[in-house]
Amino acid sequence: QVNVRQLAENAVGCLCRDVGKDNIGLNIQIDPGLAVRANENQLLQVMFNLVVNARQAMLGRRGRLTIDAAPIDEDRVEINVRDTGCGISAENLTRIFEPFFSTKQEADKPDRRGLGLGLAISRSILEDLGGTIAVTSEVNVGTTFTLNLPKAD
């Protein structure tokens, strides 16, 4: 059993940085008792990757990172990681889960570049855990990643 609220808080904590210093507001809306059936370390890796990507998408602009979760039926939980960042173009959206595809390879600072492995690995981890990952995005509006996982017994 993995407590989803604690997982979200830990993922943000792994940044070792107050996102408020980047003009990013943080909103975690998760019932403290909500849990999924998963490997905690693997799921933390996925969540941390999504939080890092969201932060990078909002750097240099005021933004909001929202993590929410709720049961969608008796057996499944949906977790959303939403940002108000730069968004992802339609042409890139179809490729973001491909290994080594990155929209951040030409970033001006090393900590803003990407190898293009984070989302590919995240999808593989979620599939191994019996879950899925989906994305919706609009350029200059933001991006939402939706995880669907088995609910803990």
Side-chain angles (χ1 to χ4, degrees):
Q1 289 195 33
V2 178
N3 181 289
V4 180
R5 183 173 184 91
Q6 190 64 53
L7 177 83
E9 291 171 355
N10 289 347
V12 173
C14 285
L15 287 174
C16 297
R17 178 173 178 82
D18 176 4
V19 293
K21 292 181 179 179
D22 297 316
N23 289 317
I24 298 170
L26 175 64
N27 187 13
I28 298 177
Q29 300 174 323
I30 303 171
D31 181 312
L34 185 63
V36 293
R37 191 174 64 243
N39 176 294
E40 187 169 6
N41 290 330
Q42 289 179 321
L43 194 52
L44 179 60
Q45 180 180 348
V46 171
M47 186 71 72
F48 177 66
N49 181 64
L50 296 177
V51 168
V52 166
N53 287 353
R55 177 183 171 269
Q56 289 175 337
M58 293 184 283
L59 286 175
R61 61 194 290 164
R62 186 170 297 279
R64 174 159 294 283
L65 170 60
T66 302
I67 305 172
D68 60 66
I72 52 174
D73 61 32
E74 299 176 351
D75 301 321
R76 308 292 292 181
V77 170
E78 186 174 276
I79 304 167
N80 295 295
V81 179
R82 308 172 196 276
D83 69 63
T84 59
C86 58
I88 304 165
S89 70
E91 73 180 44
N92 287 338
L93 205 56
T94 61
R95 301 189 60 205
I96 62 168
F97 293 107
E98 292 176 16
F100 303 107
F101 177 79
S102 175
T103 61
K104 300 178 281 192
Q105 290 171 333
E106 304 301 319
D108 56 342
K109 295 182 179 177
D111 69 330
R112 295 186 187 180
R113 292 186 192 130
L115 297 174
L117 290 173
L119 291 173
I121 291 169
S122 293
R123 181 174 65 178
S124 177
I125 288 170
L126 284 165
E127 288 172 355
D128 287 348
L129 295 173
T132 61
I133 185 169
V135 61
T136 58
S137 188
E138 188 174 339
V139 173
N140 295 321
V141 175
T143 301
T144 299
F145 282 91
T146 302
L147 314 180
N148 183 303
L149 286 158
K151 189 175 178 186
D153 300 325

